Amino acid sequence: DQQVKQNSPSLSVQEGRISILNCDYTNSMFDYFLWYKKYPAEGPTFLISISSIKDKNEDGRFTVFLNKSAKHLSLHIVPSQPGDSAVYFCAGTGGSSNTGKLIFGQGTTLQVKP
Amino acid sequence: KAGVTQTPRYLIKTRGQQVTLSCSPISGHRSVSWYQQTPGQGLQFLFEYFSETQRNKGNFPGRFSGRQFSNSRSEMNVSTLELGDSALYLCASSPGGNTEAFFGQGTRLTVV
């Protein structure tokens, strides 16, 4: 049972344009969501998070949108830069059975072309 | 502030052996969680400790175990290694509760 899904394995965008990475979840107990960026053979780097009481959170070039009714969140990167090329994971947590536990999607590989 | 430190970075073990991985969390963080990353399964939760108590455990066999010390440092142990245990093992620390978790660089375990 995959509770967090990133349906696009890969995404390619031009430098300077917007990157939009999508994530769907099924567990209605989730009340906190996070996005991580990961390079091969390294640990994930935290990017941005959002609580379920909000529908938007911004941090510099990164904005996360949450649509609770659709159980969908997205990460917008504007403008995209070649250094943003990496694998992006979304994760959800919340509910007593998920104490201290992040449930990750399978990741989306973003390539930003110069 | 120093980040999450995992040792060793790389490890090669033989089937049937056991291995212990170490994680030092960010100073002041009381929660340490462990994840396994493999190409086919993505990032899978192993277990989480908070103030020396295991609060949650993922769907892994009993060969996978862990502990947390009073200084919040954590270790995980895998006994009777199998080829399928080859993976990147990641440790994350957080203050506890619904907050961001910060990951270490990981330990790449290869079982031959």
Side-chain angles (χ1 to χ4, degrees):
Chain A
D1 174 30
Q2 205 173 344
Q3 299 182 55
V4 179
K5 294 182 184 179
Q6 294 177 254
N7 291 317
S8 298
S10 62
L11 175 68
S12 181
V13 300
Q14 209 64 37
E15 180 180 5
R17 307 294 291 268
I18 183 172
S19 295
I20 300 176
L21 298 103
N22 294 303
C23 180
D24 297 300
Y25 63 96
T26 59
N27 191 331
S28 57
M29 297 301 293
F30 284 168
D31 58 9
Y32 200 71
F33 302 89
L34 307 92
W35 282 94
Y36 287 86
K37 171 182 176 181
K38 189 179 184 302
Y39 296 113
E42 292 186 10
T45 300
F46 169 74
L47 283 174
I48 191 168
S49 61
I50 188 166
S51 164
S52 61
I53 63 173
K54 295 184 176 181
D55 55 19
K56 177 182 173 182
N57 189 27
E58 286 182 80
D59 185 0
R61 296 187 297 117
F62 302 93
T63 302
V64 56
F65 296 91
L66 175 62
N67 182 334
K68 281 185 295 183
S69 60
K71 292 191 172 70
H72 177 83
L73 62 155
S74 61
L75 174 68
H76 292 209
I77 306 174
V78 185
S80 301
Q81 299 172 355
D84 295 330
S85 298
V87 181
Y88 288 77
F89 291 93
C90 67
T93 188
S96 57
S97 64
N98 294 322
T99 299
K101 174 181 179 181
L102 294 175
I103 298 171
F104 286 88
Q106 292 293 90
T108 296
T109 300
L110 173 66
Q111 182 186 29
V112 180
K113 297 179 179 178
Chain B
K1 218 178 207 184
V4 179
T5 303
Q6 290 188 246
T7 56
R9 287 293 310 277
Y10 304 94
L11 208 47
I12 299 175
K13 289 286 188 179
T14 305
R15 270 181 303 174
Q17 286 186 314
Q18 74 161 10
V19 67
T20 299
L21 312 182
S22 180
C23 173
S24 293
I26 292 171
S27 177
H29 285 190
R30 295 166 67 188
S31 169
V32 174
S33 51
W34 290 87
Y35 295 81
Q36 180 196 64
Q37 187 185 24
T38 57
Q41 296 297 318
L43 281 152
Q44 301 288 311
F45 172 78
L46 281 155
F47 27 66
E48 187 258 2
Y49 289 86
F50 183 87
S51 294
E52 301 180 68
T53 299
Q54 185 183 86
R55 294 196 300 182
N56 209 340
K57 190 177 191 309
N59 295 326
F60 280 82
R63 300 184 296 107
F64 292 81
S65 63
R67 58 179 175 168
Q68 186 180 35
F69 302 96
S70 58
N71 61 358
S72 292
R73 191 177 70 84
S74 178
E75 289 180 347
M76 68 163 280
N77 184 276
V78 188
S79 62
T80 319
L81 284 165
E82 301 176 359
L83 295 178
D85 297 333
S86 295
L88 181 66
Y89 289 89
L90 293 158
C91 163
S93 82
S94 76
N98 269 0
T99 60
E100 297 77 20
F102 298 91
F103 284 83
Q105 294 277 63
T107 294
R108 168 68 65 183
L109 172 65
T110 302
V111 182
V112 297

